[in-house]
Each structure stands twice: as C-alpha cells, then as structure tokens.
Amino acid sequence: MYHQPVLKNRRTLLERAEKFISDVYFTDCNLRGRLYGATFPVRSLSVFSTPNRIPFSEAEQQIFQPAKVGDGYGLTWWTCWFKVCLSIPDEWHGKEVHFLWESDGEGMVWCDGQPVQGLTKEGSKTSYVLSRSLKENETHNITLYVELACNGLFGAGKGSMIAPPDPDRKFFVQKAELAVFNSTVNDLLVDFEMLIDTVKLLGENDQRGYQALYVANEMVNVCDVKNPNTFSAARKLAKKFFSEKNGDSQHTVHAMGHCHIDTAWLWPYEETVRKCARSWVTAIRLMEENPSFIFTCSQAQQFAWVKNWYPGLYSRIQHFVRRQQFVPVGGTWVEMDGNLPSGESMVRQFLEGQRFFHQEFGKYCTEFWLPDTFGYSAQLPQIMQNCGITRFLTQKLSWNLVNTFPHNTFFWEGIDGSKVLTHFPPGNSYEMKCKVEDLLNTVRNNKDKGRANHSALLFGFGDGGGGPTQGMLDRLERVMDTDGLPRVQISSPDKLFTALEANTSLLCSWTGELFLELHNGTYTTQAQIKLGNRQCETLLHDIEVASTLALIRDKNFLYPLDRLHHLWRLLLLNQFHDVIPGSCIKLVVEDAIKYYNEIRNTGSALLKEALQALLPHNLEKSCHVVFNSMPWERTEVISVPGGSAEPLLALVKVPSIGIASVEESVEPGCSVTVSTQADDSVILDNGILRLIVNRNGCVISLCLIDSNREAILNGCSGNQFVIFDDIPLYWDAWDVMDYHLQTRKPVTEIIEPVRIESSGGLRGSVTFSLRIGEASKLFQEIILDAQCPYVKFRTKVDWKEAHKFLKVEFPVQVHSANATYEIQFGHLQRPTHWNTSWDWARFEVWGHKWADVSEHGFGVALLNDCKYGYSVHRNTLTLSLLRAPKSPDATADIGWHEFTYAVMPHQGSFQEAGVIQCAYNMNFPLHCVPTRKSPSQAVSWSAFSVDCPAVILETIKQAEDQKDAVVLRLYESHGSTVSTMLRTTLTVKAAYYCDLLERPDTSHPVASAPASEFSLTFRPFQITSLLLVLQ
Ligand SMILES: [Zn+2]
C-alpha cells in the first residue's frame, strides 16, 4: 500500500515531513508556500492618529492622511485609525478572500460601524475573512477601518516585558493586502502538524508514533503541491489515522476557549476595555463559524465595560450566552488578589459579581475562576460555598519556586472546614494552543492519575490576544478521539466539574491556604495602594454602619445605595490581581490612587451626612459626639477637634455600634507618666505597660506590669529598623528572594535623638528621626495612651531608595513553634522555624491587621494600619514596611509614607487578651463629630451588642433588594464553637439567616415575632449573615 521507505530512518522521514510544511525552508516548493494564492494591494490606505481613545463614530468624522505599508505610526498609548479601501479582483470568484493585516500593536477591524474582529500579530490573528467563496453579486468594493492601539499585548516595556513602558515607540504596519486563501492546503497543514507532533512527542518507544510517522511520510509521497486534486488522497490517510479510536479508560481533556485579560497591568484600565472588545468579538466570530466552540469568560467588571462601550457587541454576547457558547464564569467583580482584600471585600467581589451575572444572564456562576493570582486565602472555600459556588479552578501554584504542589484535582478545605472541589489544569497554563504537546502534558502532568480521569485545557491567547484561533479548534477537531492521544472534548467548566463530581471517592484533600511560593514582595510593593485599600475598606464599612443607623434614627434619611455601589466597585476594581499587589505600571498606579481619592472624598461626605443624621435631634447646646462602629464598648483617648493649636485630648467611653458625647468622658484610672533617664532614654508608663526607649528610638524594655513580664528578648532591641538589599531574579515588583535576608543591616544613624513630645496624663509620647541609606529619612512618634494595652508607632518616611527593603523588628521573649496571622474573617498559623522546604519557602508571608506569637500564658502581637507583609522567624516578629523595585514602575514607592504599627504584649492567649479587638480599634478609629447643640439628656446610644467576645459583628448594611431590611454579618474569630446573644435596640419584625448573596432562608427564621434578642451559635470561623426586617 504505502511506499516502502528507502531508508529505515526515523529522522529523515520525520524531517522530510517537517520541511514539507516549514514556513522557513523550501517554501518555494513545499505545501506551506501554497497556503495563499494570488494577492492584490489595497486600493487606498489612510490614517488618523490621536492620543485619545475615542469611539468609532468620532473617529469616522476625522480627516485621514495618506498612509503606507512599512511606515511607523503613533507613539506609545496613541491610537491610529486606518481607513482601508479594498477592491477585490473579479477573477477571484469562487475563491476564499482574506484581508491580510500585519502590524505592531493591537488592531480592531470595524465594518459598517461595528467592531467585527481583532487583528493582533502576537495573538496569531493577521487575517480577516471577507468571503468564504466570493460570489459575482457580492460587493467587491469594501471599506474597513482598523483601530490600532499603540501598545503590544503586554504593553510597551523598554527592553523587556516588565520594564517601564517606552513612551517613544513607533508602531509599524508590515502588511495590508488582499489574498486568496487555500483552505484545503490549510486543512492538510493541520493534519501534517498534528501527525508530526505525535511522532515527536510519543517518541521512539511508542509504536503509535511510528504509525503516525509512516502516515505522514506517505502523505508527502501522494501530495503534488502543484496539483490540488492530489490533496484528498493525503487527507484520507490522515483521517484514517485520526479516527482510530481510544479505549474506554482514556483520560478526557476538557478543552475550553479562554482569554485571560488582566484588568490592568502593563497597560491602563482604559486599554483593557478595548482589549476585551477586540478579544470577545473575535471569539464571537469563531462561534459563528464553529457552533460547538465554547469560550469561558470571567470578571463582571469587564462585561460591564463592554456593555457600556460596545452595546452592539454586548447584545451578540448575550445571544451566545443563551446558546451556552459564551460562558460567564467566576462569579466575582474582578479576578482579585487572593490574599490582601479583607473578608468583607472578598464577599463583595462575589456579591457584586454574582448579582451582575444573574441580572445580565439569568444565572449565578457555579465555579470560582482565578487562574492567575498570587496565593489563595484559606477562608475562600467558606466564602465560595456561601455564595453558591462549590467548585474552583486555578493553576498559579505551578509557579511555586520551591515545592511542587501535590495535586491537580482535590478537595480544598478552608479554616472552617468548608470544602470545594478544586482543579488545577495540569498543562500549567491558561493560554494553551491545543498542540499535541498541550494534550499530552495535560495527561502526563496530572498528579492525581487514577484518582481523576478528567482535566481542563484552557486555550487561547490572553491579554487582548483575542483568545482562541481557528487553528486551535482545527487541531482539536483532528484528535477528539485518536488512539494514543488523550480523548478531547470541547467543554465548559460545568461539564468538567460535573464529570469530576461523578467520582470523587479517591480524591485527596488539602487543608489550609494555597500559598504561592513566589511574588511575596507583592504584600508590600506600592505602599500607597495598600494604604488606599485598607483605608477605603474601613471607610466604606463605617459609612454602611452609620447610614444604616441613620436610617433608623431619622425617617427622612436616604441610604446612599447607588453611591455606595459605585464606591465599592471602584475599591473592588483596584483589588485586581496586578493592581493591589503593586505589580503594575505607573499609569495604573495613578488611576488606582485616583479611585481611592474618589472613595475618600465622596465617602467622607457620605459618612458626615450619615453621622449628622444619626445624632439625637433634641440637643440644646454645642457638644462633640463620638461614633463607634465596632460591636464592643470602647474606652479610648481621642483628639477632639477644636480651635486651639494644641490637640485637645479626651478619654471617652462609647457603647458598641453607638454614640456617646465627649462631655460624658471618663477619668483615667491611671495617668501616663513620662520620664527621662540619665542615659537619655525615656520611660513611658500607663499602668498597663512600661517601656524604655533609648536615644535612637529602640524599645529596649517593654514590660507588662501586672504580670511583671518583659516582652523584649534579653540584650535585644524592639522597634529596630533594618534594611536589606532587595534584588530578585526577574519579577522586580513581585519577588523578594530568600537571599535578601543575608544582607540585613540595622538602621542606626540618628538625625534627632529621642525627645519627649507629650509629657503624660492622657498621652505620653516621644519623637526621633533616623537616616536610612544615603537619602531617606524616618520620623517616628512612639505613643502610649492612658488605658491602652498597646504602644503605637506613628511613622513617616521620606523614601528615596533603589532595590532596598525596609522592615521593623521586634525580638521577643516568647518561645513558640508557630505564629498566628489574621486573614479574612479569621486567622491561621504558620511555623516560626525553617525545618522543611515548605516551612522555609514561607520566609515572607502575608497577614492582615495583626500577627501574634504566643507561648502558653503570654504572647506579643504586632498590629498595623496598612501593611500586609510579615515574617516571624524564631523569636523575632518582623513587619515589612517599604520596598523600592524599578519594574514595571521605575518610581514605585519613592516619596512620603505615613503608617502606624503597634506592639501589644499580653497575658493569656491573644484571643483572651483581645488582640483581635485592639487591631480593629486601631484600624477603625472613633469618629468625633462636632454638633451645634448639646444634650439635655444622655446622648449615649447603642444599636447592637454581642455578648460573646469570640463573635464579631463586622458588617451592617442595608439589604440589596429590600429597603426595610438590614443585613448583618458576624463571624467567629477565636476558632471556637460558641453561643452568643445578639441584642439590638431596633425593632425587628422578622429575622432570617441568609447567604452571602443575601438570599434569606425563610424556612428557619431566627425570630419571627418582633424581637430584640437573638440566640446564635457558631462553629470555628463560621461566617453568619442575618437579614433583619425592620418595623
Ligand atoms: Zn493575570
């Protein structure tokens, strides 16, 4: 049958077939050279360039200048609109006609005023099909527009991808012409490619590979490239090979089209709007041609952008969503960072996302989709479960620098015991190309062989590359069920997980966080973004609490629902996985800061309105009212705003979720004393803590007075600033490497030695300043307030470093193998030793408002108001303060910074000592509001209280869909099973448990008659939401 090979030589046969389809060698006589037939120049090409991103309707009106192929256009971030006039030659009747466009940058074709397809060389999209078979009566004269964004798929880095953008780059047009496309040649090329790859990848030990080799060789024999009539015989040979089927047990690869689009990264948010449109319209076009093609698409924000800017495209997307080809997935507003957003922020990612998907497409997502984030909080499984999601897909842990994660398909168990079925596509990429290699890797890399027989393969160019290509679909079509290769099906997340759920009996579990052993610098980089996130989370919390109470106290008050939605969405947007981590270019940082400032400005006004509305209306004289948004009574020193230059301090006692007047302030049981020693060190003492600060600002003693327990390790100093060389291997803004620890240098150069700032009474404090490196300075005030169990370190830094890392250390007299870190709605422990590779790979970790190291009966906590990077090694608690990477933002973190941290030695466990509450108090300061009138009666009022200290009532907001209802969110914070009473002074008509999407469970009311007390029970770290219907 086949020609007998002259030589029994695998190599010559294989290379012969490769050369037959090479796009480099022998294109004059091989098959590849026949892919395109005749070509024809464009009739005219003209251009209009603008620094702005403008709509088509505006672009069309402009004056276009003559343009030509070979020229360079634009500057980085500009947009060049090309008007392309085409006349197809008459003799091309019956042929498939393409418009070929090759240029730098990212193109979008517009036809008849609508976007029709992306054209991006980097995403292998360089042709736009004008006609599959040109008819005589079809129009031969066509005008297209190509909107060319002057940036690459990955921005415009100067010299390397992640370098800061080159502002002066030119973007060249290399090709603009008409061409006849030979689709039968294309079909054969795909056949050959798949066969050749099968030969190469199955290798010399696999007989099936040899079968592919001889098929390919015979196909070259029968193909006469000049005679298309010979092609069908070759195709028949290929078809026979591809249709030889697998056995029943073969692994099934679920191929899903995808285009991972970073919501901002090496380009600004505004460009992402266009990246989405370019990519999604390209996917839609593929769906029209391939009715079985399925495209998965995440991030509600991106859908919202396209809805707003491209309504025509959006309605086509809705059509294909109904046909289940365009599959919204993920359920979140953006693919957020998995570490840094607060618990409530995580909830809002899902609440805003799921509500959007439900409203627009009629259903909630059932899978959480976060392929590319730098670690995953151990509280996510519960949050997912509570948002109607039981399945999770990611693959980022394949980037681990040290340890290989042991599973691809497993149950992931969170800190409360909630489990979600989790899948990491074994191909370790979310941008696969459907080559034989991708299919085989998906099976071979699967670490759950024998336990799970289905895997995902996500294919398509990301970041605006337009996602999948026809070529990728063609490859898959060949090998859907071919002996020797995995079985493939075009699939959806739902189909994959349904298949996995059908047999989970052998699956393993992984308990706790999914820690990424890389990118640990992102807990610290771009400190202003971290500060903005923490402050805005706090502000939105307080606005919601105050507005909800105002609603109850003042019948005329309108809850600012729409404005809060807008502000929340800005905050959620900035939590995108390249923005809050600080791994973005300067343009993005500027946008992010602009959004934080909008939240701060609008938010402050909203908070003020709400606070005014909730104050009592029967006041007679002027006074100051203090608002406490925390669910426990607080007694704290506050600054009372007034006319005098000296801040007026007062010690106030404010009930839980309530108000009190400053005039009701309390006397301290014990004043703060401050005294200078002979060696210039200063002793501060508030009856709870006594600390000694030496002349260069170090805390050389910190004593917990009641137990007479020294917290600072013998012979060491706390509040020791240290600086490190911080030069990673590549990912500058992202990575801090283990070896930076070997470059530790204490900061010791004094500018101003310690001196007393506040001399005692309600507050004692000292100030000092230090020089860091050659040009940076640090100013600090160490503050001890009356009745306060922690010492605050209010810090300002003028930071002018390059590739340095600033931290502060507290070596403590505590011996423990584990430290505890706050995470979303709870905490977890990590070792303080470096025994195994899993331990030392966590040399730099993340935490939220506090970290603690305790032995039985005593411990020390380190609190902060805007930092996320920690390390606790042996006895030393370290807080990461500032970095100075140069890529992708050369100016990252240069400038002024203000932040506060605090140290809190305590008796008993951190739970018993109230560390959690103290960290909240430091982050959610009491609000002191001057009012014109003064009380004729007591102002003090509390809306809610909870009697068990383990249970934290964090969120109080108006229900999304019910104006007369309030949603409360509580969680168990100690890691214990407890019961508590929730008390309220509001009149509650009915109370229900609800999920995080605020869907009430009406079958089990917490209380149905008017009630003011609710008995609740909690499992460790359980999050509970209540919907209270008010009278
Ligand atoms: Zn990404």
Side-chain angles (χ1 to χ4, degrees):
M1 258 214 334
Y2 286 12
H3 294 74
Q4 248 191 0
V6 177
L7 291 171
K8 296 177 187 172
N9 189 328
R10 180 176 180 272
R11 186 183 148 192
T12 56
L13 296 191
L14 175 58
E15 288 195 16
R16 178 196 188 199
E18 284 182 301
K19 294 290 158 35
F20 194 61
I21 61 165
S22 169
D23 54 7
V24 178
Y25 303 104
F26 304 109
T27 50
D28 60 320
C29 56
N30 76 2
L31 187 65
R32 178 77 61 185
R34 299 296 189 279
L35 182 59
Y36 287 99
T39 61
F40 195 73
V42 298
R43 195 172 76 232
S44 75
L45 184 68
S46 53
V47 66
F48 163 71
S49 299
T50 165
N52 302 316
R53 297 178 179 88
I54 57 172
F56 176 81
S57 54
E58 195 181 325
E60 192 187 28
Q61 308 293 323
Q62 306 301 321
I63 296 163
F64 285 71
Q65 306 295 333
K68 64 177 196 295
V69 171
D71 281 358
Y73 298 93
L75 283 177
T76 309
W77 308 128
W78 280 50
T79 301
C80 301
W81 288 85
F82 289 92
K83 185 174 181 179
V84 189
C85 299
L86 304 165
S87 295
I88 307 173
D90 285 341
E91 58 270 28
W92 288 7
H93 293 156
K95 309 274 190 210
E96 179 165 340
V97 182
H98 289 196
F99 167 57
L100 301 185
W101 174 273
E102 286 182 25
S103 71
D104 303 330
E106 294 188 77
M108 167 78 105
V109 186
W110 291 77
C111 185
D112 299 329
Q114 289 299 319
V116 288
Q117 195 198 290
L119 283 177
T120 305
K121 209 166 57 174
E122 291 171 279
S124 289
K125 293 177 187 72
T126 53
S127 83
Y128 173 67
V129 180
L130 294 168
S131 176
R132 286 289 179 205
S133 174
L134 187 69
K135 292 175 192 62
E136 266 180 65
N137 58 359
E138 219 171 312
T139 175
H140 286 39
N141 294 315
I142 300 164
T143 300
L144 301 175
Y145 289 85
V146 177
E147 176 193 12
L148 189 72
C150 292
N151 53 262
L153 287 192
F154 300 103
K158 192 171 189 174
S160 87
M161 181 180 81
I162 62 164
D166 175 359
D168 302 319
R169 193 182 284 184
K170 284 277 177 192
F171 291 75
F172 291 87
V173 176
Q174 293 98 8
K175 187 183 275 184
E177 64 186 21
L178 290 165
V180 169
F181 181 74
N182 294 320
S183 62
T184 47
V185 171
N186 185 59
D187 290 340
L188 258 182
L189 287 170
V190 176
D191 291 341
F192 269 111
E193 186 203 336
M194 294 306 276
L195 284 165
I196 290 166
D197 284 353
T198 302
V199 178
K200 292 204 286 203
L201 287 148
L202 290 185
E204 298 192 34
N205 294 323
D206 191 305
Q207 65 114 15
R208 186 67 176 149
Y210 281 91
Q211 291 174 354
L213 176 69
Y214 290 115
V215 171
N217 185 56
E218 187 63 7
M219 286 168 64
V220 183
N221 287 335
V222 303
C223 263
D224 175 354
V225 295
K226 288 183 184 153
N227 180 6
N229 295 331
T230 62
F231 293 172
S232 64
R235 288 225 63 203
K236 233 179 242 170
L237 292 170
K239 196 172 177 192
K240 180 170 177 300
F241 177 88
F242 292 133
S243 58
E244 287 161 348
K245 290 195 187 317
N246 271 300
D248 290 344
S249 67
Q250 184 59 269
H251 195 91
T252 300
V253 173
H254 292 250
M256 306 173 205
H258 188 50
C259 180
H260 177 78
I261 301 181
D262 290 299
T263 296
W265 179 27
L266 302 173
W267 56 88
Y269 283 123
E270 259 192 34
E271 191 54 45
T272 309
V273 178
R274 300 201 296 188
K275 281 176 180 282
C276 294
R278 284 191 287 266
S279 300
W280 297 357
V281 74
T282 307
I284 292 278
R285 210 170 155 79
L286 271 183
M287 284 171 203
E288 287 165 346
E289 303 254 325
N290 303 269
S292 63
F293 168 53
I294 291 174
F295 181 74
T296 52
C297 192
S298 63
Q299 315 199 59
Q301 169 71 85
Q302 297 186 359
F303 281 90
W305 278 336
V306 169
K307 182 182 181 184
N308 193 34
W309 293 98
Y310 300 87
L313 169 60
Y314 192 71
S315 63
R316 290 168 73 200
I317 290 171
Q318 285 180 309
H319 168 76
F320 282 99
V321 170
R322 285 191 292 273
R323 288 184 51 170
Q324 300 184 6
Q325 282 187 264
F326 204 109
V327 179
V329 72
T332 49
W333 187 247
V334 296
E335 285 185 12
M336 72 281 195
D337 181 84
N339 300 329
L340 309 187
S342 69
E344 188 59 27
S345 285
M346 292 274 195
V347 170
R348 299 305 176 92
Q349 287 286 352
F350 284 98
L351 183 72
E352 288 293 318
Q354 286 285 49
R355 285 176 62 83
F356 180 89
F357 288 120
H358 190 262
Q359 178 193 314
E360 297 293 316
F361 308 115
K363 65 183 223 186
Y364 295 111
C365 299
T366 49
E367 293 83 22
F368 180 37
W369 187 271
L370 202 53
D372 182 32
T373 288
F374 314 151
Y376 306 87
S377 163
Q379 189 56 281
L380 273 166
Q382 185 180 194
I383 293 173
M384 278 182 237
Q385 284 278 7
N386 232 314
C387 292
I389 289 179
T390 55
R391 303 148 159 190
F392 174 43
L393 183 142
T394 181
Q395 65 85 42
K396 197 68 181 184
L397 259 59
S398 66
W399 284 46
N400 267 5
L401 195 68
V402 181
N403 297 286
T404 303
F405 193 80
H407 297 294
N408 289 97
T409 304
F410 61 101
F411 285 105
W412 178 27
E413 183 183 313
I415 51 170
D416 72 313
S418 295
K419 284 184 174 188
V420 289
L421 181 58
T422 299
H423 182 69
F424 297 176
N428 293 339
S429 167
Y430 42 81
E431 291 192 18
M432 302 201 93
K433 309 291 181 279
C434 304
K435 292 181 158 252
V436 172
E437 182 185 12
D438 298 338
L439 299 170
L440 288 173
N441 280 344
T442 297
V443 177
R444 290 175 180 171
N445 295 350
N446 176 21
K447 295 181 201 77
D448 296 282
K449 292 185 186 74
R451 293 192 284 261
N453 212 23
H454 297 264
S455 294
L457 179 149
L458 309 182
F459 65 97
F461 290 95
D463 282 329
T469 62
Q470 184 63 51
M472 295 175 194
L473 290 170
D474 292 343
R475 287 175 194 139
L476 291 179
E477 185 271 328
R478 297 298 189 278
V479 295
M480 287 285 171
D481 193 355
T482 297
D483 185 23
L485 299 176
R487 186 177 287 122
V488 184
Q489 67 181 56
I490 300 281
S491 187
S492 65
D494 180 53
K495 280 186 195 154
L496 165 74
F497 280 101
T498 303
L500 289 171
E501 282 161 356
N503 185 2
T504 59
S505 54
L506 295 179
L507 293 185
C508 303
S509 290
W510 178 271
T511 300
E513 67 181 325
L514 298 175
F515 185 86
L516 180 66
E517 295 169 353
L518 200 73
H519 295 358
N520 323 46
T522 62
Y523 318 145
T524 305
T525 304
Q526 299 285 9
Q528 297 301 341
I529 290 183
K530 272 68 174 174
L531 174 74
N533 182 67
R534 183 76 66 81
Q535 285 186 341
C536 292
E537 285 178 338
T538 305
L539 178 58
L540 292 180
H541 169 274
D542 285 358
I543 298 168
E544 288 185 338
V545 176
S547 302
T548 308
L549 303 197
L551 205 57
I552 293 149
R553 300 268 282 192
D554 179 353
K555 292 297 167 208
N556 297 320
F557 181 78
L558 287 175
Y559 191 89
L561 194 67
D562 292 340
R563 280 177 292 173
L564 273 170
H565 266 280
H566 172 68
L567 299 184
W568 264 113
R569 286 180 172 191
L570 291 179
L571 180 70
L572 300 179
L573 175 59
N574 278 348
Q575 288 170 350
F576 177 73
H577 67 251
D578 281 308
V579 180
I580 195 174
S583 49
C584 49
I585 58 170
K586 189 183 171 89
L587 278 177
V588 179
V589 177
E590 288 168 355
D591 279 348
I593 300 294
K594 188 177 79 189
Y595 293 155
Y596 288 130
N597 286 337
E598 186 182 339
I599 299 170
R600 287 179 178 117
N601 295 334
T602 311
S604 308
L606 290 178
L607 181 62
K608 207 168 155 193
E609 282 169 31
L611 289 176
Q612 290 300 336
L614 76 84
L615 299 180
H617 291 295
N618 56 350
L619 299 180
E620 284 161 5
K621 289 186 292 175
S622 79
C623 79
H624 289 91
V625 171
V626 187
F627 169 63
N628 172 19
S629 66
M630 290 292 111
W632 45 77
E633 182 185 271
R634 288 162 74 173
T635 304
E636 281 176 32
V637 174
I638 60 160
S639 292
V640 182
S644 66
E646 283 290 298
L648 176 66
L649 299 177
L651 184 68
V652 292
K653 184 193 251 182
V654 195
S656 61
I657 316 274
I659 55 172
S661 80
V662 174
E663 285 65 22
E664 293 168 310
S665 66
V666 288
E667 285 301 312
C670 183
S671 301
V672 185
T673 60
V674 183
S675 53
T676 308
Q677 308 272 93
D679 62 356
D680 292 342
S681 65
V682 178
I683 301 180
L684 297 106
D685 186 325
N686 70 352
I688 305 168
L689 299 174
R690 181 171 56 242
L691 69 153
I692 305 174
V693 184
N694 72 9
R695 68 187 299 276
N696 51 358
C698 287
V699 175
I700 52 171
S701 169
L702 175 59
C703 184
L704 192 59
I705 294 169
D706 254 3
S707 53
N708 194 26
R709 178 74 195 246
E710 174 60 48
I712 301 296
L713 193 62
N714 262 342
C716 296
S717 306
N719 199 37
Q720 175 69 59
F721 291 97
V722 282
I723 194 154
F724 301 82
D725 293 343
D726 185 13
I727 307 164
L729 296 174
Y730 175 72
W731 297 99
D732 199 359
W734 291 257
D735 287 352
V736 55
M737 308 307 294
D738 53 346
Y739 52 74
H740 86 284
L741 293 169
Q742 300 179 348
T743 65
R744 177 184 176 279
K745 288 185 191 69
V747 174
T748 53
E749 200 181 329
I750 304 169
I751 301 172
E752 287 269 357
V754 157
R755 62 176 185 83
I756 296 169
E757 174 75 24
S758 301
S759 55
L762 288 179
R763 172 168 293 171
S765 77
V766 295
T767 57
F768 64 95
S769 58
L770 302 173
R771 189 178 306 285
I772 312 169
E774 281 167 16
S776 305
K777 293 174 193 159
L778 181 145
F779 309 85
Q780 193 172 62
E781 184 178 12
I782 303 177
I783 301 167
L784 187 64
D785 280 344
Q787 301 213 0
C788 185
Y790 52 88
V791 188
K792 281 182 282 194
F793 301 81
R794 194 178 289 163
T795 314
K796 296 176 186 175
V797 183
D798 184 12
W799 183 243
K800 294 176 179 165
E801 300 301 308
H803 289 124
K804 297 285 178 190
F805 198 161
L806 180 70
K807 307 182 190 182
V808 65
E809 293 178 345
F810 288 88
V812 295
Q813 224 168 122
V814 177
H815 180 77
S816 174
N818 287 295
T820 310
Y821 301 83
E822 190 193 35
I823 66 163
Q824 294 79 1
F825 298 131
H827 55 81
L828 50 70
Q829 294 198 317
R830 302 186 184 106
T832 57
H833 56 74
W834 292 341
N835 277 0
T836 72
S837 61
W838 293 89
D839 301 326
W840 63 256
R842 288 179 285 176
F843 57 86
E844 173 82 11
V845 298
W846 62 272
H848 283 186
K849 300 186 289 293
W850 57 269
D852 179 88
V853 59
S854 288
E855 55 193 36
H856 180 67
F858 180 77
V860 179
L862 186 53
L863 325 180
N864 76 77
D865 72 348
C866 63
K867 298 294 172 194
Y868 296 90
Y870 280 102
S871 55
V872 183
H873 185 223
R874 302 212 172 273
N875 297 66
T876 304
L877 273 156
T878 305
L879 184 65
S880 300
L881 302 175
L882 292 168
R883 294 186 71 217
K886 297 297 162 194
S887 287
D889 174 6
T891 63
D893 282 322
I894 300 305
W896 267 93
H897 298 272
E898 294 190 25
F899 49 85
T900 298
Y901 54 87
V903 65
M904 177 173 172
H906 57 83
Q907 252 187 305
S909 67
F910 68 84
Q911 291 99 329
E912 290 157 350
V915 165
I916 301 169
Q917 282 78 4
C918 287
Y920 269 102
N921 291 349
M922 203 174 94
N923 278 270
F924 294 80
L926 295 167
H927 297 277
C928 185
V929 194
T931 66
R932 242 175 247 121
K933 307 163 189 171
S934 168
S936 56
Q937 62 197 64
V939 168
S940 190
W941 175 71
S942 164
F944 292 97
S945 64
V946 178
D947 68 1
C948 172
V951 175
I952 293 177
L953 165 56
E954 194 182 282
T955 301
I956 301 173
K957 66 185 280 289
Q958 192 182 57
E960 296 287 324
D961 297 317
Q962 211 178 330
K963 282 201 159 47
D964 65 343
V966 170
V967 168
L968 307 186
R969 188 142 27 252
L970 308 96
Y971 72 97
E972 197 288 323
S973 67
H974 288 178
S976 57
T977 299
V978 293
S979 301
T980 191
M981 290 302 283
L982 166 70
R983 295 192 173 84
T984 179
T985 52
L986 317 184
T987 323
V988 176
K989 202 159 64 178
Y992 304 99
Y993 291 103
C994 65
D995 67 3
L996 293 177
L997 304 183
E998 304 187 1
R999 298 176 293 189
D1001 176 1
T1002 48
S1003 59
H1004 296 101
V1006 189
S1008 47
S1012 58
E1013 295 193 337
F1014 308 94
S1015 170
L1016 306 171
T1017 58
F1018 287 80
R1019 288 177 284 106
F1021 303 118
Q1022 185 182 353
I1023 306 165
T1024 293
S1025 303
L1026 301 177
L1027 187 96
L1028 307 184
V1029 183
L1030 303 177
Q1031 213 145 36

